[in-house]
Amino acid sequence: MKLTRLRLAGFKTFVDPTEVIVADGLTGIVGPNGCGKSNLVEALRWVMGESSHRALRAADMEEVIFAGTTARPSRNHAEVVLAIDNRAGTAPGPFAGEDEIEVSRRIERDKGSTYRINGREARARDVQLLFADAASGARSAGLVHQGQIGEIIAAKPEARRRVLEEAAGIAGLHARRHEAELKLAAAEQNLDRVEDLAAQLQQQIDGLKRQARQATRYRQISAEIRRLESALARRAHVEAAAAAASAGEATDLAARAVADRTADERAAARAEAEAAQALPPLRDGAAAAAAALERLRREGQELDREEARARSRLAELKQRAAQLEGDLGREQALARDAAETLARLAAEVDGLSRADKDAEAVRAEAARRHELASAKATEVERALTAAAAALAEHTARRTALARNRDETAARSSRLAESRRRLVGERETAERALAEIDIAGLDAAVAATGAALAAAEEALVAAEAEAARCRAAAAALSGPATEAEAALRRREVERDTLAKLLRPATAGAAEPVSAALRVSRGYEAALAAALGDDLEAPTDPAAPAHWLELAGADVDPVLPEGVEPLAAVVKAPAALARRLAQVGVVAREAGPRLQGALRSGQRLVSREGDLWRWDGYTVLATAETAAARRLVERARLAEIEDGLEAVRAAALAARSQSAEAEAAAKAAVEAERAARERLRPLRQEAEAARQRHAEA
């Protein structure tokens, strides 16, 4: 990748559109302090994605826009366009196939910055990664400012490592890794957040399930309650109706009872009056009876307490008598046991005394018998050992003889079986040998060998044809690819030139330069003659425009021998008078003929020098924007004229390449079919050879 052009418009001190061409070799800009050299470097850093306004010597990012002077108003936007030559195909990623990459950054007041790569809007990160992959960038060590060499020498190992990584072209990988790490961290945070939200939602779901179950149960219970209430209300209604009927009957009965009770009341009232007269004597008797009753009640309570104390004492005495009886019985049982134990011990003492007297004689007899038994046991053990040894020897001999007998019988059986099998195999082989056709097998081997050889020859021929077709397809693929690449380059160049030459304002009329056709080599002369007037249209509705006026017959004539510029330029009629008053001369003849010019006339050279009738002179020291636009328009016309031929050539090359590829595919298919035919023939020949070998 190589920087070829830097275009600035409204950036800091570059208020007018300014273009800096980075030619082959060494390109330098020399000027006094304050002429804007540093602004060019800052423009490079700005378009490469610099995000710090301090690095651009500005209080904020909008200060890079031209702020205006006493003579010129401020601008509302600034734009920097950087053109990169990528014909070597070293650009990273999706831009590797582009011959030219154009990166632009535009800033508007109160709207921020926008980036574009080849006309498509992009992010700042995309631009930074593009230059990082190319070992460059806004903060790259490749942009060396004053004192940076000393800073690199005195830098820390981390800073030197960044410089070396940038020189190695892997800075973009670190930037992508950092971006990937940020994305992964964000993804992890999102996953954690999702897990938290999932847990919260699960809790909410569980709560809602419980609420749903409760709501369902509530609805069921409410429905059951309403049903039961309805049944109860119905039952209460029925009961109330029955009660009402019963109450009516009871009312009638109560009315009759009230009448009876009224009569009884009157009788009771008479009886009460009579009883009231007899009540005072009875009350006195009742009081005396009550006093006597209270005295008797207290005496009865005292007697009850005495009885309870007596009963308690009696129970205690009965319990003590029972305990004494139990203790007496236990003591009597212990006395009986002690007496029995004493009697038994006395008997045992008597027995032991008698046994002690007989023990000596018994012990002597037992010792004698023990000695005799020990001697006899020793003799028996010796005899038993000898008998066991003899038995073991006879048993081993018997076992060996039995094993030899079994092995001999088995060997005889195997030999007989082998003899029978060999006799059978001999008979089978004799029958098979009589049935084998050796001549037929030889003929089959020869036939399959011939068919296999023919198939192998056919396969070799198919492989050769496939290789030839593939080589032809490969030979045609390169020209087809080159033709398509040339077509794409021309189309890209055409689109780029058309975009560059398109009016800046949407819907604006085409400038008059779009209708001009100038001979090759006269672009600089035409640009010097008309300058920015070439951008004016012929539309009368435009603020600045060209109009066709009469009166060309009264215009002055150019000096003798001067060729008018109109002779090498095809232009609309509105430019006829202007072009007729411009002459084309050699550079050395311009100053000499300038004095012969009449009012309104001017002379130009093919190199771009200008001599005007009023003495104004411009020397061709550099390519102007107008001349460049004319060259670009001429190039655009040339491309459009030859584009159809290039497109036809590309289509023809692609058609030939497609035909060659189709032939190669057919040849490969034929080769595959030959291989498929060869496989069963090989198997058949191998089977025939196997049968012949077996015979």
Side-chain angles (χ1 to χ4, degrees), residues 358-513:
D358 299 333
E360 293 297 334
V362 173
R363 188 178 298 111
E365 182 65 23
R368 186 181 62 79
R369 290 180 179 180
H370 180 268
E371 290 176 357
L372 293 175
S374 297
K376 189 175 182 179
T378 302
E379 293 177 359
V380 170
E381 285 179 357
R382 283 198 293 268
L384 180 62
T385 301
L391 178 62
E393 183 180 357
H394 288 295
T395 302
R397 290 180 62 190
R398 181 180 179 182
T399 303
L401 291 173
R403 185 168 57 252
N404 291 334
R405 183 195 60 192
D406 295 340
E407 290 177 355
T408 303
R411 187 180 302 109
S412 299
S413 178
R414 287 196 299 272
L415 290 174
E417 181 65 26
S418 298
R419 185 175 183 279
R420 288 193 296 272
R421 187 177 68 255
L422 290 174
V423 170
E425 289 179 356
R426 179 180 179 181
E427 293 175 354
T428 303
E430 289 176 352
R431 289 194 299 271
L433 183 61
E435 296 175 356
I436 290 175
D437 184 9
I438 298 296
L441 292 176
D442 291 339
V445 170
T448 54
L452 180 61
E456 289 177 347
E457 292 178 359
L459 176 60
V460 171
E463 289 176 348
E465 180 64 19
R468 186 189 64 78
C469 292
R470 283 195 294 267
L476 292 174
S477 177
T481 303
E482 292 177 359
E484 290 184 351
L487 176 61
R488 287 196 299 271
R489 286 196 298 271
R490 284 181 173 267
E491 289 177 344
V492 169
E493 187 177 1
R494 179 199 61 187
D495 297 340
T496 303
L497 291 174
K499 182 174 64 176
L500 290 174
L501 297 174
R502 191 180 300 126
T505 304
E510 287 286 344
V512 71
S513 59

Side-chain angles (χ1 to χ4, degrees), residues 262-277:
T262 303
D264 294 340
E265 182 182 5
R266 286 195 294 270
R270 287 194 298 271
E272 182 181 6
E274 293 175 356
Q277 293 176 359

Side-chain angles (χ1 to χ4, degrees), residues 323-385:
Q323 289 178 354
L324 290 173
E325 291 178 357
D327 292 341
L328 180 60
R330 187 166 54 255
E331 292 296 333
Q332 291 175 354
L334 290 175
R336 287 193 299 272
D337 291 340
E340 292 176 358
T341 301
L342 289 174
R344 187 173 62 256
L345 290 175
E348 289 179 357
V349 168
D350 295 338
L352 289 175
S353 298
R354 289 190 299 269
D356 189 31
K357 294 177 181 179
D358 299 333
E360 293 297 334
V362 173
R363 188 178 298 111
E365 182 65 23
R368 186 181 62 79
R369 290 180 179 180
H370 180 268
E371 290 176 357
L372 293 175
S374 297
K376 189 175 182 179
T378 302
E379 293 177 359
V380 170
E381 285 179 357
R382 283 198 293 268
L384 180 62
T385 301

Side-chain angles (χ1 to χ4, degrees), residues 584-631:
V584 181
V585 298
R587 299 188 72 176
E588 59 273 9
R592 177 172 52 82
L593 296 173
Q594 185 176 14
L597 294 176
R598 307 292 295 275
S599 297
Q601 293 181 342
R602 59 189 69 188
L603 298 175
V604 294
S605 67
R606 296 181 64 174
E607 291 79 6
D609 301 291
L610 171 66
W611 298 274
R612 210 163 63 186
W613 60 276
D614 55 359
Y616 180 71
T617 302
V618 177
L619 298 180
T621 57
E623 183 183 14
T624 62
R628 187 174 61 258
R629 284 193 291 273
L630 289 174
V631 172

Side-chain angles (χ1 to χ4, degrees), residues 508-650:
E510 287 286 344
V512 71
S513 59
L516 293 177
R517 292 295 182 268
V518 58
S519 300
R520 178 63 65 88
Y522 288 90
E523 294 87 354
L526 180 61
L530 287 127
D532 291 338
D533 294 343
L534 289 169
E535 299 303 316
T538 58
D539 185 7
H545 56 272
W546 289 89
L547 288 178
E548 182 180 358
L549 299 176
D553 52 346
V554 299
D555 290 339
V557 182
L558 291 172
E560 185 178 357
V562 175
E563 179 186 11
L565 186 59
V568 295
V569 177
K570 294 181 180 180
L575 270 69
R577 295 186 68 185
R578 177 71 173 271
L579 295 176
Q581 295 299 310
V582 179
V584 181
V585 298
R587 299 188 72 176
E588 59 273 9
R592 177 172 52 82
L593 296 173
Q594 185 176 14
L597 294 176
R598 307 292 295 275
S599 297
Q601 293 181 342
R602 59 189 69 188
L603 298 175
V604 294
S605 67
R606 296 181 64 174
E607 291 79 6
D609 301 291
L610 171 66
W611 298 274
R612 210 163 63 186
W613 60 276
D614 55 359
Y616 180 71
T617 302
V618 177
L619 298 180
T621 57
E623 183 183 14
T624 62
R628 187 174 61 258
R629 284 193 291 273
L630 289 174
V631 172
E632 290 172 349
R633 289 195 181 278
R635 176 60 180 165
L636 179 61
E638 180 183 355
I639 291 173
E640 290 177 345
D641 293 340
L643 190 60
E644 289 300 325
V646 175
R647 185 177 288 109

